[in-house]
Amino acid sequence: MNVNVQDLRKLYGNQAVLDGVQFAVRPGECFGIIGPNGSGKSTLLKMLSGVERADSGHVHLNGVDIAKMKTKQIARKIAVLLQEALSPVDYSVRDVIEMGRYPHQNWWGIDDTECTSLIADISYKLCLEHLLHRAVSTLSGGERQRVAIAKAMAQQPDLLLLDEPTTFLDIGYQMQMMDMVRNWQVEQGITVITVLHDLNLAAQYCDRILILNQGKQIALGTPAEVISDHLIESVYGTRPIILEHPVSALPQILLQPGALPLQ
Amino acid sequence: MVKRLFFWTTFGLVLLVVSVIVSLSVGSAHIPLHETWRVILQQVPWIGQMIETDWTESTEQILLQVRAPRVLLALLVGAALALAGTGFQGVLRNPLAEPYTLGVASGSAVGALVVILLGLQYAWSGSWTIPLAAFLTGLLTLWLVIILSRQQSKLKIETLILAGVVIQAFFGSVVSFLVSISRNSMNEMIFWLMGSLSLKGWSYSFIILPYLVFGFIILLLMGRELNLFSLGERQAMHLGVNIERTKLVVLIICTLLTAAAVSVAGIISFVGLVIPHILRLMVGSDYRILIPLSVIFGAIYVLWADTLSRMLLDPQVIPLGVITSILGAPFFAWLLIQNKRGAAS
């Protein structure tokens, strides 16, 4: 899916939380958004998913202004994974995956495609088959995050938005999560836009990265272009050491204690 | 899902029919069960002709003119309150939510009590005056709550509940004030406040029936939306639910149901709070199942409560609201304990 963001601006009161953000995401791309706390990342994601309206500027999905789309139409195109995964509801895993079909169901709850085989397929891919009848509230955090991905897959979106999806996961589940998303992206050709806290994950998984600071667009480019020590220092206020990953040759950062320029 | 729904609905309906027949047969004049169900069956078209009349005229009078309207009203009031409770809990995502959370009960009570205090029970529209006044002030309350809690055309759940509590407290003290200044009609007021189904003819059932049918159909169609709501509002929105519209529609429908029930039967407590929870413990949280079952089991619950209220201290009648709580609280506690044991083992 083509995502086109034009001169986006969002005010909370008189304060601009986003100002002059402008970029285009190509179909099938994995696009990362990074920036310090309060830089406007989450607000940007909310606007991309149609939760918040822009004060000026536009978000176009395949040429259609998102402000003109209904909630259900948006949900047929976009799935969103939030950082808090799923609340511990007592629905079965199967029921929750099936909830992803909601935007494709009509008033009476009848699906436009046959969803039984779709759900079987997804639960096979994500190794959820043995959990299908368990209540979500009895699952671990990592398993719950997998159910959330399964629900998003059942939604069959063209665009997947992720809001710091790895925040509450240990490194094993972080990699598992990002790998599952990448496999999905490659297999189905979907477009992925993800907000990430972890710059190393962003460098490894994203084709291009957008850096935001105080609502402004600071840099946009491939990981090798934007992960540089002076840029990171100017945005985050700490000077890291940048190394090349021995396998992928992508830039990775190491943190340096005491390297905080205190002015 | 369909299998579970079918099983519980069948079970509920059988229980409902048995309860109706038993409730009809008991009372100050006892009518044997085998007569009761045949009198009822005779009223059913087609089958009725096959049943011969071998009972007295007065038996039929008592059953059809005295007890049947009361039983029907009990069923409808119970169904409406339990359905409203299920809706409120679904959309407010709060286990303490019930039909009276948003202050509708106290609002309705103010209307009814003002009418009683001024001795206007039969003014304007005859026996309909109290229900009408109660219904209108109930709606006014909802309108106030929504005005109070609306921010930029969005309803925030926390604000909504808070506004409901404030309004409830305010109208609650108005109610206490009205009761305290009345000299002659205090008994009538207190009886109304604790809920009663006595001496109401068929016509009261027709007040509540349209709201129940209409509300049931709409809520049944919104079962999936309510399921998605329990994942959280933002999740529901990302799955394509128009959350502001869903909230408003469910709140209005449940308020209409509550106001209709309160206006004919007074404030019957506990039903709308506890029936949805009991059902959740029995069948899980799927609103596509909870909504139809809350109608059936709410009806059964209030029917039994009302039967007990007229039987226990016969000829004295215990207020219905008292029975619903006395009966419901221990049962609920027992279910909770059972559930804890189930989870521990």
Side-chain angles (χ1 to χ4, degrees), chain B residues 128-326:
Chain B
W128 297 73
T129 309
I130 291 182
L132 197 68
F135 190 73
L136 290 179
T137 46
L139 290 193
L140 186 75
T141 315
L142 174 73
W143 181 73
L144 270 177
V145 169
I146 288 183
I147 295 270
L148 271 178
S149 52
R150 212 154 190 204
Q151 296 172 337
Q152 299 155 1
S153 80
K154 284 184 180 167
L155 283 175
K156 279 192 73 181
I157 296 300
E158 295 82 7
T159 332
L160 201 62
I161 293 177
L162 204 59
V165 169
V166 170
I167 296 275
Q168 168 117 30
F170 177 72
F171 282 139
S173 42
V174 174
V175 165
S176 306
F177 172 72
L178 290 175
V179 172
S180 68
I181 59 166
S182 76
R183 287 195 203 91
N184 313 324
S185 44
M186 195 183 278
N187 262 338
E188 191 181 350
M189 284 183 169
I190 288 177
F191 216 75
W192 191 92
L193 284 176
M194 291 197 285
S196 161
L197 296 169
S198 56
L199 300 176
K200 316 252 164 99
W202 292 106
S203 58
Y204 277 66
S205 291
F206 298 126
I207 300 181
I208 189 170
L209 189 63
Y211 292 101
L212 185 60
V213 172
F214 177 71
F216 177 60
I217 292 171
I218 302 283
L219 286 181
L220 201 57
L221 286 174
M222 300 188 89
R224 283 173 308 135
E225 278 87 347
L226 288 175
N227 282 347
L228 294 175
F229 249 82
S230 42
L231 297 182
E233 277 189 27
R234 184 135 180 235
Q235 292 266 13
M237 188 193 260
H238 287 316
L239 286 167
V241 179
N242 185 336
I243 53 171
E244 292 307 320
R245 192 182 64 195
T246 307
K247 271 189 281 187
L248 203 60
V249 168
V250 173
L251 288 180
I252 288 177
I253 284 181
C254 292
T255 304
L256 288 174
L257 283 166
T258 310
V262 170
S263 66
V264 295
I267 299 173
I268 300 170
S269 53
F270 223 66
V271 182
L273 173 67
V274 140
I275 290 291
H277 282 304
I278 290 177
L279 290 174
R280 242 184 282 267
L281 291 176
M282 282 173 13
V283 304
S285 313
D286 192 332
Y287 281 90
R288 292 169 299 177
I289 301 177
L290 281 179
I291 285 166
L293 288 190
S294 62
V295 167
I296 298 174
F297 286 89
I300 294 173
Y301 187 70
V302 171
L303 175 62
W304 277 108
D306 183 51
T307 310
L308 288 177
S309 89
R310 58 188 168 90
M311 288 296 298
L312 279 181
L313 297 180
D314 189 49
Q316 207 180 351
V317 177
I318 309 168
L320 184 52
V322 175
I323 300 274
T324 48
S325 305
I326 288 184

Side-chain angles (χ1 to χ4, degrees), chain B residues 112-130:
Chain B
L113 296 196
V114 166
V115 169
I116 296 174
L117 185 72
L118 299 178
L120 295 174
Q121 285 95 318
Y122 301 102
W124 304 314
S125 46
S127 61
W128 297 73
T129 309
I130 291 182

